[in-house]
Amino acid sequence: MALPQEQFDELLQRTALAALFYYPEIAVDDGDYNLQNDIEYCLAPVTALHSEDLDELRAAVGRVITNPSAHRAELIELVIELAPEPTGE
């Protein structure tokens, strides 16, 4: 099942926002913080994907949130692979 490109765009926007506000100290100093909550927030627009694709995205999003410079290309490549081809409209 192909999801609309807008849903993948929303995933990327949410991931960028989560990465922007992530600080390693949060995980140590704030007992209420949970990286998994941020990951699930980012994945909310694309939950209709197959579970294997979601698992792969979940791992990639988590890596991007905690270290965007090292892992953003991986996430972009995965989204390009999963997103539908542009229609040129």
Side-chain angles (χ1 to χ4, degrees):
M1 166 200 313
L3 299 178
Q5 178 64 44
E6 292 80 18
Q7 290 178 314
F8 289 101
D9 293 344
E10 182 71 17
L11 164 87
L12 293 174
Q13 290 171 4
R14 288 176 179 221
T15 303
L17 185 63
L20 182 66
F21 286 102
Y22 175 81
Y23 292 97
E25 298 83 19
I26 291 173
V28 174
D29 297 338
D30 185 351
D32 293 333
Y33 177 76
N34 184 334
L35 178 61
Q36 290 304 315
N37 291 342
D38 282 355
I39 293 169
E40 293 309 316
Y41 165 78
C42 296
L43 292 175
V46 296
T47 57
L49 285 174
H50 296 291
S51 63
E52 301 85 24
D53 294 332
L54 273 175
D55 289 344
E56 195 171 356
L57 272 174
R58 185 174 287 109
V61 165
R63 288 190 291 271
V64 169
I65 290 172
T66 59
N67 191 347
S69 295
H71 300 288
R72 64 180 170 227
E74 170 192 355
L75 179 60
I76 297 293
E77 290 171 11
L78 184 55
V79 165
I80 290 170
E81 178 183 319
L82 295 173
E85 292 289 324
T87 59
E89 294 176 2

